[in-house]
């Protein structure tokens, strides 16, 4: 599972590889999911979102997969670049109110 | 177009004091949300304002409050500061719904 504070799970990849970052969410009633990227010293940056009526959504170099059966979300980054190095968070939202719950994050390190 | 700006960027306060943080959203954005980020608890949603009204609220004590002005600028206030309030406070704006938000760089608050 994910660690607390500075001891985030870390994924190290080589430049050009594909990266897969995983997230387990907690609420089976969640119907909207978001991935964010946070670089050191900056606020989170929206990457991609997906609604619960979808299993897959693609963006530019990124794909989000949603498995509602096991409450699992993944973010795939194609041809990972050094600029992709950051902490990646998933967030889940349930119901009509926007009250997001965030995962602890995964640190992605891309080696040139 | 200018991004979300937050002032001040860094702040040091003493226990028991109060603090006000400011957020200027992207021009044309009417939804402003506030978040607290700590190593221990990760990223947590505080509240969201739209058209000067609090539309959504997270699970934080009443010491945390906010408001939004007619120009969509927002402030959050924390009264009777505790050591545990030391955190990065992030503001995010979006056009209308709180989805696909743009985050500011945050205000780093240290309570001593």
């Amino acid at each position: 599972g994910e660690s607390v504070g500075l001891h985030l799970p870390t994924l190290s990849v080589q430049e050009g590889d594909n990266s897969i970052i995983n997230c387990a969410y907690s609420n089976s009633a969640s119907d909207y999911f978001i991935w964010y990227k946070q670089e050191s010293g900056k606020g989170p940056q929206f990457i991609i979102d997906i609604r619960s009526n979808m299993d897959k959504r693609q963006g530019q170099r990124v794909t989000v997969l949603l498995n509602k059966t096991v409450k699992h979300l993944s973010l795939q980054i194609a041809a990972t670049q050094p600029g992709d190095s950051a902490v990646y968070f998933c967030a889940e939202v349930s119901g009509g109110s926007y009250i997001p719950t965030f995962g602890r994050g995964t640190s992605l390190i891309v080696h040139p | 177009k200018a991004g979300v700006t937050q002032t001040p960027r860094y702040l040091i306060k003493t226990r028991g004091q109060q603090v006000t943080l400011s957020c200027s959203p992207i021009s044309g954005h009417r939804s402003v949300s506030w978040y607290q980020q700590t190593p221990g608890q990760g990223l947590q949603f505080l509240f969201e304002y739209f058209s000067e009204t609090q539309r959504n609220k997270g699970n934080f004590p009443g010491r945390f409050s906010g408001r939004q002005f007619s120009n969509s600028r927002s402030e959050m206030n924390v009264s009777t500061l505790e050591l545990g309030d030391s955190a990065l406070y992030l503001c995010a704006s979006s056009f209308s719904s709180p989805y696909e938000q743009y985050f500011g760089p945050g205000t780093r608050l240290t309570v001593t």
Side-chain angles (χ1 to χ4, degrees):
Chain A
E2 292 182 285
S3 301
V4 173
L6 297 177
H7 303 289
L8 294 175
T10 300
L11 176 64
S12 290
V13 300
Q14 291 295 128
E15 181 177 2
D17 286 351
N18 295 332
S19 302
I20 300 176
I21 300 170
N22 297 303
C23 177
Y25 64 93
S26 57
N27 188 347
S28 56
S30 292
D31 55 8
Y32 178 69
F33 305 87
I34 316 162
W35 278 102
Y36 292 97
K37 170 188 180 182
Q38 187 172 23
E39 297 175 89
S40 181
K42 297 184 179 180
Q45 175 187 352
F46 173 92
I47 301 173
I48 192 169
D49 58 2
I50 188 169
R51 295 200 175 272
S52 59
N53 60 353
M54 302 173 70
D55 297 324
K56 178 179 179 179
R57 189 167 187 219
Q58 290 184 288
Q60 187 177 13
R61 281 201 308 119
V62 295
T63 300
V64 56
L65 298 178
L66 175 62
N67 186 329
K68 295 180 286 293
T69 303
V70 295
K71 295 190 288 186
H72 183 269
L73 197 64
S74 68
L75 177 71
Q76 300 178 359
I77 304 174
T80 315
Q81 303 166 1
D84 294 328
S85 295
V87 175
Y88 289 80
F89 296 95
C90 66
E92 58 180 300
V93 182
S94 58
S97 296
Y98 175 76
I99 302 178
T101 300
F102 293 87
R104 293 305 181 93
T106 295
S107 176
L108 175 65
I109 300 172
V110 183
H111 301 282
Chain B
K1 160 156 103 167
V4 177
T5 58
Q6 293 187 244
T7 57
R9 292 294 311 279
Y10 302 92
L11 201 51
I12 300 175
K13 289 286 189 178
T14 304
R15 267 181 304 177
Q17 289 186 314
Q18 72 162 9
V19 67
T20 299
L21 311 181
S22 181
C23 171
S24 292
I26 291 171
S27 178
H29 284 190
R30 295 168 62 192
S31 168
V32 175
S33 298
W34 288 90
Y35 300 84
Q36 181 196 66
Q37 188 173 34
T38 61
Q41 298 299 318
L43 193 58
Q44 294 183 285
F45 171 74
L46 279 156
F47 29 66
E48 183 233 351
Y49 285 86
F50 179 80
S51 292
E52 303 178 64
T53 301
Q54 188 180 85
R55 185 161 65 174
N56 291 291
K57 185 178 188 304
N59 189 26
F60 275 80
R63 299 187 298 110
F64 293 81
S65 62
R67 59 177 175 168
Q68 187 181 33
F69 302 96
S70 59
N71 61 359
S72 294
R73 190 178 69 85
S74 178
E75 290 180 346
M76 69 161 282
N77 183 277
V78 188
S79 62
T80 319
L81 283 165
E82 302 176 358
L83 295 178
D85 297 333
S86 294
L88 180 67
Y89 289 90
L90 293 156
C91 164
S93 76
S94 60
F95 181 66
S96 57
S97 75
Y99 304 103
E100 198 166 341
Q101 298 180 321
Y102 295 84
F103 280 79
T107 294
R108 174 72 63 184
L109 172 66
T110 301
V111 182
T112 62

